[in-house]
Amino acid sequence: MALRTIVQDGDPILTKVCRPVTNFDERLATLLDDMKETLADANGYGLVGPQVGVMRRVFISLDERDLPEDGAVPEGYETKFLEFVNPEIIEQS
């Protein structure tokens, strides 16, 4: 895994339309692993492909559903992530 550079606000890449992922291969797995490491290093909550310079429809998010409601992180807790590939918004309110 490798840390990727996070694109800063104002970069034109953040306004472009991403291409769908068509190959579910080792390259995609590496991208997702790199994004997890980058997100953890940045102490963030979520990260999308364009934020690391990749114009693909992918994003990851921390998965904190199994943490206690008080937000306390148990000793030895392993950070979990949700991975989304080619997500689509089907309803908005």
Side-chain angles (χ1 to χ4, degrees):
M1 292 192 296
L3 289 177
R4 298 202 179 210
T5 301
I6 297 177
V7 173
Q8 299 301 308
D9 190 31
D11 190 301
I13 195 170
L14 299 176
T15 63
K16 298 183 182 200
V17 176
C18 295
R19 296 181 307 274
V21 173
T22 55
N23 294 321
F24 292 77
D25 55 12
E26 189 61 35
R27 191 169 173 190
L28 174 62
T30 299
L31 170 63
L32 293 168
D33 287 344
D34 289 353
M35 288 174 68
K36 289 177 199 172
E37 186 173 339
T38 302
L39 181 64
D41 184 69
N43 292 317
Y45 191 78
L47 192 63
V48 298
Q51 288 178 292
V52 291
V54 177
M55 295 304 301
R56 293 289 181 205
R57 293 180 187 162
V58 297
F59 80 88
I60 62 167
S61 173
L62 290 179
D63 182 0
E64 298 178 336
R65 294 176 292 178
D66 63 347
L67 285 177
E69 287 188 28
D70 66 4
V73 178
E75 186 176 328
Y77 180 78
E78 184 176 330
T79 303
K80 296 175 185 77
F81 298 90
L82 298 171
E83 300 175 346
F84 298 85
V85 178
N86 296 328
E88 293 183 27
I89 297 171
I90 56 172
E91 187 174 320
Q92 182 177 327
S93 63

